[in-house]
Amino acid sequence: MEFELNNILIIGLIFFLGLVADILGTKTFVPRVTFLILLGVVVGPNFIGLLPKEFITDWFSTITTIALGMVGFLL
């Protein structure tokens, strides 16, 4: 149960940071998609490593589908 709760919290944090990046994009002249892509790079395992490796291997395809849907909707 604890592992599932951590996954839900991580997904919630990703969505919240995406919302913050979207709001920041509306306040500046930089496109919102640019902020969302930069957020993905920063949160990913190659930069800060906020996401655990187990989460990435288990949820990568789901998160990718959701992220592409959001980017497509914004465009």
Side-chain angles (χ1 to χ4, degrees), residues 36-67:
L36 293 172
I37 291 172
L38 289 175
L39 175 68
V41 169
V42 169
V43 171
N46 294 331
F47 196 80
I48 290 180
L50 181 65
L51 301 174
K53 297 285 185 188
E54 299 85 23
F55 180 80
I56 293 171
T57 56
D58 294 342
W59 289 85
F60 184 74
S61 63
T62 305
I63 296 295
T64 303
T65 303
I66 292 171

Side-chain angles (χ1 to χ4, degrees), residues 3-27:
F3 183 72
E4 293 175 7
L5 182 62
N6 286 340
N7 287 342
I8 292 171
L9 289 174
I10 290 171
I11 291 173
L13 178 66
I14 291 170
F15 283 138
F16 178 72
L17 291 175
L19 178 65
V20 170
D22 184 53
I23 292 171
L24 184 64
T26 59
K27 303 287 183 194

